[in-house]
Amino acid sequence: MTKQIQDQLQRKLQLKTTPRRIVSLVPSQTELLVDLGLEANIVGVTKFCVHPVHLKKTKAIVGGTKQIHIDKIRSLNPDIILCNKEENTKEIVEACAQICNTHVSDIFTIEDSLELIHQYGTLFNKNEDAQKIVNHIKKETDDFKTFIQKKPTLKVAYFIWKNPWMVAANNTFINYLLELNHLKNVYETQNRYPEIELHNTAINKEVDVVLLSTEPFPFNHSHKKEVQAFYPNAKVVIADGEMFSWYGSRLTKAFAYFKNLRLNLEAFQAL
């Protein structure tokens, strides 16, 4: 009996059997598959699928998230290919859909993430495992909301790239998590991931926190001094980009990280 499932773009997938051979083109979704107990079913991943660390040594590498080797994917004879609207291009999704069923996620909120986990539970007959992860994330989210409830709102700039300088703005999962952290994005009037110029402007002086993400650009402590000059009153922090942009099972770990981040910021504010 054929089972029909919709992905997060409301595209219909027709499944005659549970997919057994999986190609994942999204690092955070690859991690989710493993946490659902599906590592043995993964046949292809991207070069950015770094969790768990051993995975790239045991699975075929089919390219990155923006550029793939479509012939290599085809040769793996997958039953399903997993994509994401932001991570992968429309052309990639269309090319993959010519090979087999292709599921596309679209994530802006925690609820979107929980929906995706449930969809994978249904897709791969892992409903019980999916529900456990969902319950864990819900508990962590509720606990964090209680923790952050009376914390003051701080103004933040979240950098994702250098040369050109780019920040996370509105209509992104990152911005959603910033809001959850009571961090008001000073670039929220802009859309997605705009390029900005580093200038000593009035708004810069109002920024309380600058977060330099470890991905997609690998910001490290050597970049802090350069940025600090333009945000004289801010605490410049290297932020774990996976915690702010990976969804799926990574969210079971993210809120403990957010608590520690807030406590560190409070210590700075007290100085």
Side-chain angles (χ1 to χ4, degrees):
M1 181 178 177
T2 300
K3 179 167 59 175
Q4 181 173 285
I5 294 177
Q6 284 193 159
D7 66 12
Q8 290 187 299
L9 297 185
Q10 282 70 58
R11 298 163 61 257
K12 292 183 173 68
L13 282 67
Q14 305 290 337
L15 301 173
K16 293 183 179 179
T17 59
T18 301
R20 298 298 180 190
R21 298 178 60 79
I22 308 168
V23 169
S24 174
L25 301 182
V26 187
S28 56
Q29 293 173 189
T30 301
E31 180 181 52
L32 172 57
L33 292 173
V34 173
D35 289 337
L36 286 170
L38 291 163
E39 181 173 344
N41 297 100
I42 301 171
V43 295
V45 297
T46 75
K47 61 183 178 181
F48 302 116
C49 293
V50 295
H51 295 297
V53 292
H54 66 266
L55 206 61
K56 291 199 296 180
K57 297 178 182 178
T58 60
K59 308 299 180 181
I61 308 299
V62 298
T65 54
K66 304 298 184 187
Q67 294 181 321
I68 60 170
H69 305 299
I70 195 68
D71 290 339
K72 191 167 189 178
I73 292 175
R74 187 180 290 106
S75 71
L76 294 171
N77 194 30
D79 299 318
I80 195 165
I81 303 169
L82 305 178
C83 297
N84 172 264
K85 184 180 178 182
E86 179 175 292
E87 293 272 1
N88 311 123
T89 65
K90 182 181 178 182
E91 290 73 24
I92 284 176
V93 172
E94 290 174 346
C96 288
Q98 296 298 311
I99 297 174
C100 63
N101 275 313
T102 299
H103 182 286
V104 184
S105 63
D106 192 21
I107 308 291
F108 288 94
T109 67
I110 297 291
E111 288 302 316
D112 293 337
S113 299
L114 300 183
E115 179 186 62
L116 175 65
I117 297 168
H118 277 305
Q119 286 187 0
Y120 279 13
T122 302
L123 267 172
F124 303 113
N125 196 26
K126 289 285 186 176
N127 288 303
E128 186 175 338
D129 297 279
Q131 190 61 56
K132 287 179 181 178
I133 295 173
V134 166
N135 290 344
H136 190 170
I137 293 171
K138 284 183 175 180
K139 182 181 183 303
E140 290 290 320
T141 305
D142 290 343
D143 288 349
F144 182 74
K145 286 180 178 178
T146 299
F147 166 84
I148 202 72
Q149 186 175 11
K150 295 183 179 180
K151 302 293 186 184
T153 297
L154 305 175
K155 293 184 178 180
V156 66
Y158 187 104
F159 282 85
I160 64 163
W161 201 259
K162 183 180 187 292
N163 296 328
W165 294 99
M166 296 174 68
V167 296
N170 206 0
N171 294 317
T172 62
F173 186 57
I174 292 171
N175 190 66
Y176 170 86
L177 289 180
L178 291 174
E179 290 179 355
L180 206 59
N181 276 270
H182 285 197
L183 297 172
K184 183 176 176 60
N185 193 342
V186 296
Y187 295 104
E188 68 180 357
T189 58
Q190 299 191 51
N191 196 48
R192 303 293 288 163
Y193 303 105
E195 294 182 19
I196 67 164
E197 297 289 338
L198 288 186
H199 292 306
N200 288 310
T201 63
I203 192 173
N204 286 14
K205 294 178 181 178
E206 296 178 2
V207 174
D208 300 304
V209 184
V210 173
L211 297 178
L212 302 179
S213 180
T214 55
E215 66 166 48
F217 184 88
F219 282 108
N220 57 52
H221 291 281
S222 67
H223 300 104
K224 292 170 67 173
K225 186 176 180 181
E226 181 179 4
V227 175
Q228 184 75 73
F230 295 92
Y231 296 89
N233 300 318
K235 170 68 172 175
V236 181
V237 178
I238 302 300
D240 188 332
E242 293 174 359
M243 297 300 182
F244 276 99
S245 61
W246 284 38
Y247 37 88
S249 49
R250 176 59 46 146
L251 289 170
T252 61
K253 304 172 183 177
F255 293 101
Y257 173 83
F258 295 153
K259 286 181 181 179
N260 286 330
L261 175 62
R262 172 59 68 149
L263 293 174
N264 289 335
L265 293 177
E266 286 179 353
F268 172 76
Q269 295 294 116
L271 295 177

